[in-house]
Amino acid sequence: MILKNGQVFTALGRFLTADVELEGDRIKQVAPAGTLHGAEEIDAAGKYVTPGFVDIHIHGAAGADFCDSVDGSQEYVKTMQKYLGSQGVTSFMGTTMAFSEEILNDIFAAVKPLFNQEAQGAVLRGVNMEGPFFNKAKKGAQAEKYIIDPDWEMFQRLWQTSGGNIRLVDVAPELPGAVEFIRKASELCTVSIAHTSATYEEAKAAYANGASHTTHLFNAMPAFTHRAPGVVGAAADDAAHVEMISDGIHLHPAVVRAVFALFGAERVCLISDSMRACGMPNGEYSLGGQKVFMNDGLATLEDGTIAGSATCLAECFRRAVKFGVPLESALRAATINPAQAVGLFDELGSVTAGKRADVLVLNKDLQPEHIFIGGKEL
């Protein structure tokens, strides 16, 4: 398959008018526009040829939740895969909630056969273990009864159950034993600061000892103020990447723009943090065993606490652009950066020869007209 004359988004985060050849499940080559010819061609002139979106923080979509797999069923993940693929999300990290070790163990055992396997849609690339090592004061929509201090032995057991597929683990760095946990866990996966009341100094210590990521910046952490910069200030100094939910609900559009200005396009990861109501009508749903009510894109617990999002990453990307983020910056934050953050950039996240053929053709409204996952068009 030849994608001709498109505006190709390169690994440098810039557009280049070029032809792209897909062969099998790989990107065979990227060549000057008009130079490649084949039996199957798509004229991408005036359109964007981009990597598939990479969502490293997503709980659910299309009525399904990653953690529903606790009953041993893989159908919930497959439902998510199909929906995400249809939106242009080609890789994702199944994200957990704060649960007991027994529940998490059952989830990881159930989904283990699906990691990195071809699917009818987006590929499950691993686990984002969001919880249970949190500060109860910043629990957000996490169930308090499951929240505990960092437990290295528990994490090791879950790591084994997952087959080494936990790619990201979250922790509040001010908790007892957290710094030692971060030091050890960072040898196995990306460690992120999350659901925390940490001071600037406590967050700095976490980054100094191996944390490199920050979960849904501004949400479930102290406010960023001029005398107490907190986690946000420490992240600005030291974090390799920060996540941001750019649905226009979790953060004001001005804050979305400000994050890119403060951190630069190279350090921001757009995420959905979506739950099962994503892609579904208004109504009652659940997250982490708690009731969630979704109304026009706003998902909340019964007490009004925001409970994840109901917006797909593809739409979060489009909204970031609508809010004034440059197209190249928003696209990088939905593809290159998240792939780098969880160690997947060698395989995906950019339109580069030799990488997996997860490629989108977007129209001028940034809607996908063609979606290739592993070289196969949906």
Side-chain angles (χ1 to χ4, degrees), residues 8 39 62 103 148 212 258 278 280 311:
V8 178
I103 293 173
I148 61 174
S212 60
C278 179
M280 300 293 285
T311 307

Side-chain angles (χ1 to χ4, degrees), residues 193 199-208 211-214 217 224-226 228-242 259 261-264 267:
I193 294 179
T199 64
Y200 171 80
E201 290 76 16
E202 288 168 331
K204 289 278 286 187
Y207 293 124
S212 60
H213 198 77
T214 313
L217 194 71
F224 173 55
T225 69
H226 60 297
V231 175
V232 177
D237 286 347
D238 298 330
H241 295 98
V242 296
V259 168
L262 177 61
F263 287 87
R267 300 169 67 194

Side-chain angles (χ1 to χ4, degrees), residues 23 65 239 273 294 372:
E23 184 175 85
D65 190 304
D273 195 14
M294 195 274 283
F372 295 90

Side-chain angles (χ1 to χ4, degrees), residues 269-285:
C269 297
L270 296 183
I271 60 165
S272 71
D273 195 14
S274 71
M275 43 82 70
R276 69 172 79 243
C278 179
M280 300 293 285
N282 291 340
E284 180 181 322
Y285 298 91

Side-chain angles (χ1 to χ4, degrees), residues 313-334:
L313 174 61
E315 179 60 23
C316 286
F317 153 71
R318 286 188 286 270
R319 290 186 189 180
V321 175
K322 179 181 178 181
F323 297 157
V325 176
L327 174 58
E328 294 87 347
S329 299
L331 189 53
R332 181 184 184 110

Side-chain angles (χ1 to χ4, degrees), residues 152 155 169 181-191 209-211:
W152 172 243
F155 178 76
V169 64
F181 177 91
I182 291 168
R183 189 177 299 121
K184 293 177 179 177
S186 63
E187 296 293 322
L188 298 178
C189 67
T190 301
V191 178
N209 281 277

Side-chain angles (χ1 to χ4, degrees), residues 52-56 58 84 88-93 121-125 313 344 348-349 356 358 373:
F53 300 120
V54 181
D55 196 346
I56 61 173
I58 173 173
L84 293 174
V89 177
T90 56
S91 291
F92 72 105
M93 302 279 292
V123 177
L124 176 64
R125 292 294 179 182
L313 174 61
L344 291 170
L348 50 92
R356 183 178 158 87
D358 294 345
I373 303 180

